[in-house]
């Protein structure tokens, strides 16, 4: 059975379609690499790419794309709403099939090493690949962004894992490993953003909620409602139904009802199936009973 | 994108492992054919095989297995609890990917034709492939079983679709096309089989219930409970959650509760995902958001 890894590199270019296509071309027609999706956001000035495939083939395609991005993107000219520190901003590897998170950590390190060797670009390792606990969190690593990175990487706590200086036009990339992430939003029948934020705080890990949930309240003014917008950071340990049902419970004290949900972008089959399994109370169910799972083996 | 068909041939041998292995060997190591599962039941004296693959490759493997079964199985010596009329008893084709039910009907006809041409064995067409409405139902076709088939196929209503006589040692096969079937049982906290049967009647198509549900009450004496045992004959039109929730409703009038469920054997990914989608009230969800679905394209 072949190992399958997912990689979701983020590029700091979301407006110039010629440049975007040159970057995406690095992922096309490569044996062992499947380009599942890419989407560009003009406000963020950023393109998010989703790849799956054989680990070494994915690594090589990413390293090639880093070379293209280095040539195409000048970070001294970049502006956009999304925080960023490099032309290739983040490169997370995610285990999909027959792979452990540890193997993804190794792949992240090999990739960062190749990026430096072939293109002379520097990297931090982050999340599960981080070289110290205070360097796991991407937001903390990226704080100061491209403009602040030249000074930041000279501080003892923030020395680069690969390279010694922030590259003058490319910046710095964060390369790491993490579990599949599910973007899951639960809709509330209140327009009161304060209530949505309170509920988000009650269910998220940071404030005493579920371990693998990050969440904030978000306004949806066109529908006069709000939502609890979540990142499910490990659905194998905190399933979608648990967050959904807990939000219903927390909403009760405000007289607010859950009216639906959204799943944004790609979701692993198992995240949905474990949820069906729970609602139906299926006894002794195995993911091996799923026809498509068996077909992929 | 390649077409994928599923085929679930049933063989009238469930005891002699040497014979069973010779039959199963016809499905092994064939390009374009994946043997997903096979299981033999000694009481039924029957082996159920599950294959998926490219339509022509699956057809050829089935025709080869028919030749082996014809040589290995003598129906004049066969006894078992499950009704049967042929050494290969039924051959249903099921659309899985990029295939319509009509294409499965054509494949069923080609297969039955090849079975006759290569091995001289006769067939009925059944379900969606049936040559007349009264010949759709397998139980009706098979009534009289192997022993009664020699006379039955001489009646105007029951003439064979391929061949003219019941084969003296092989019997007759039913070859057909149907939608994927999900075996779904809902467990009740009553030991009263009469109540389970009443609920089954209320939810099944036959008596005024859901269109794509067949169901009966089944006793589970070791747990002192009962179940509504269902065949979901088209989950795309009658989803699992609808049957589950309707059984809860019907159970209320008997003061009975639903305590869980069972999914027996293989289940298509979409049958579980559409159920998760309903319970979470996911807005605008598309099966294309499922990572594994995209990987298979």
């Amino acid at each position: 059975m072949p190992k399958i890894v997912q990689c979701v590199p983020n590029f700091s270019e979301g407006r110039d379609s010629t440049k975007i296509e040159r970057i995406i071309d690095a992922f096309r027609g490569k044996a062992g690499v499947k380009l599942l999706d890419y989407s560009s956001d003009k406000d963020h000035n950023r393109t998010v790419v989703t790849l799956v495939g054989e680990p070494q083939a994915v690594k090589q395609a990413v390293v090639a794309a880093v070379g293209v991005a280095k040539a195409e993107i000048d970070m001294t000219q970049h502006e956009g709403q999304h925080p960023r520190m490099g032309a290739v901003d983040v490169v997370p590897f995610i285990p999909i099939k027959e792979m452990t998170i540890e193997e993804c950590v190794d792949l992240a390190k090999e990739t960062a090493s190749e990026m430096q060797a072939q293109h002379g670009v520097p990297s931090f390792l982050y999340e599960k690949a981080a070289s110290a606990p205070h360097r796991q969190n991407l937001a903390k690593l990226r704080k100061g962004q491209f403009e602040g990175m030249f000074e930041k990487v000279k501080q003892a706590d923030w020395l680069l894992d690969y390279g010694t200086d922030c590259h003058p036009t490319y910046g710095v990339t964060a390369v790491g490993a993490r579990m599949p992430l599910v973007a899951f939003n639960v809709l509330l029948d209140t327009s009161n953003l304060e209530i949505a934020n309170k509920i988000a705080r009650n269910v998220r890990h940071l404030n005493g909620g579920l371990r693998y949930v990050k969440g904030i309240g978000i306004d949806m003014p066109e529908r006069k409602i709000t939502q609890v917008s979540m990142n499910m950071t490990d659905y194998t340990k905190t399933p979608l139904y648990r967050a959904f049902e807990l939000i219903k419970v927390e909403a009760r004290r405000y007289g607010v009802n859950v009216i639906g949900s959204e799943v944004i972008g790609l979701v692993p089959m198992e995240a949905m199936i474990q949820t069906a399994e729970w609602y139906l109370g299926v006894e002794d169910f195995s993911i091996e009973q799923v026809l498509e799972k068996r077909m992929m083996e």
Side-chain angles (χ1 to χ4, degrees), chain A:
Chain A
M1 264 185 268
K3 294 178 190 293
I4 301 279
V5 71
Q6 185 183 7
C7 186
V8 189
N10 286 216
F11 297 87
S12 294
E13 177 57 65
R15 295 172 186 170
D16 183 332
S17 59
T18 309
K19 291 185 176 195
I20 292 167
E21 286 303 310
R22 282 192 198 128
I23 293 165
I24 300 301
D25 273 344
F27 302 115
R28 292 192 170 112
K30 297 278 167 79
V33 177
K34 199 169 168 76
L35 174 63
L36 288 189
D37 190 50
Y38 65 103
S39 66
S40 301
D41 187 298
K42 284 191 169 32
D43 295 332
H44 289 182
N45 198 6
R46 189 176 181 90
T47 296
V48 178
V49 179
T50 305
L51 309 168
V52 290
E54 186 273 308
Q56 290 302 312
V58 170
K59 178 185 84 178
Q60 284 161 22
V62 168
V63 172
V66 165
V68 179
K70 185 189 174 197
E72 296 289 340
I73 300 171
D74 178 358
M75 290 302 290
T76 66
Q77 305 302 310
H78 185 273
E79 57 90 20
Q81 281 176 20
H82 197 290
R84 78 287 178 272
M85 63 181 175
V88 185
D89 196 53
V90 290
V91 178
F93 290 97
I94 302 133
I96 298 293
K97 216 180 90 186
E98 301 298 316
M99 278 195 88
T100 62
I101 188 76
E102 290 75 23
E103 289 173 299
C104 285
V105 168
D106 292 343
L107 190 63
K109 290 177 180 173
E110 286 174 36
T111 303
S113 174
E114 281 293 305
M115 284 164 57
Q116 193 195 17
Q118 288 192 32
H119 306 298
V121 302
S123 298
F124 290 119
L125 294 170
Y126 82 113
E127 288 264 355
K128 300 286 186 201
S131 49
H134 73 279
R135 296 160 69 104
Q136 287 177 356
N137 186 285
L138 179 63
K140 286 185 190 166
L141 267 185
R142 197 160 49 193
K143 198 171 175 193
Q145 300 196 48
F146 170 73
E147 292 75 8
M149 217 41 65
F150 297 88
E151 285 308 309
K152 182 170 179 173
V153 301
K154 297 193 161 60
Q155 299 169 27
D157 266 2
W158 302 110
L159 296 178
L160 288 156
D161 289 291
Y162 296 86
T164 50
D165 294 298
C166 178
H167 187 283
T169 57
Y170 176 95
V172 173
T173 303
V175 185
R178 61 166 170 82
M179 290 297 290
L181 185 145
V182 180
F184 181 47
N185 305 330
V186 175
L187 311 185
L188 306 172
D189 69 350
T190 177
S191 60
N192 188 332
L193 182 60
E194 182 57 24
I195 291 176
N197 268 313
K198 279 182 178 165
I199 295 171
R201 280 195 289 273
N202 291 347
V203 299
R204 73 187 179 193
H205 183 235
L206 191 63
N207 300 79
L210 298 166
R211 175 148 182 192
Y212 295 102
V213 173
K214 296 179 179 178
I216 51 168
I218 297 265
D219 199 12
M220 301 177 78
E222 71 292 350
R223 291 174 63 181
K224 296 189 172 58
I225 62 172
T226 53
Q227 62 173 233
V228 177
S229 176
M230 293 179 288
N231 273 335
M232 307 294 298
T233 57
D234 188 349
Y235 70 87
T236 66
K237 300 200 176 110
T238 302
L240 271 57
Y241 72 80
R242 191 175 299 153
F244 186 76
E245 292 295 327
L246 187 59
I247 288 173
K248 282 193 197 170
V249 169
E250 295 292 337
R252 256 191 245 153
R253 81 170 328 183
Y254 305 106
V256 164
N257 296 300
V258 166
I259 55 171
S261 70
E262 298 172 339
V263 173
I264 307 297
L266 294 175
V267 58
M269 175 174 79
E270 253 181 288
M272 297 299 280
I273 287 176
Q274 66 178 186
T275 287
E277 204 184 321
W278 186 83
Y279 283 104
L280 298 178
V282 188
E283 297 186 348
D284 300 323
F285 189 76
S286 157
I287 193 76
E288 295 301 316
Q289 288 178 252
V290 177
L291 184 68
E292 284 80 358
K293 177 83 162 78
R294 296 286 282 276
M295 285 170 65
M296 292 175 78
E297 281 172 1

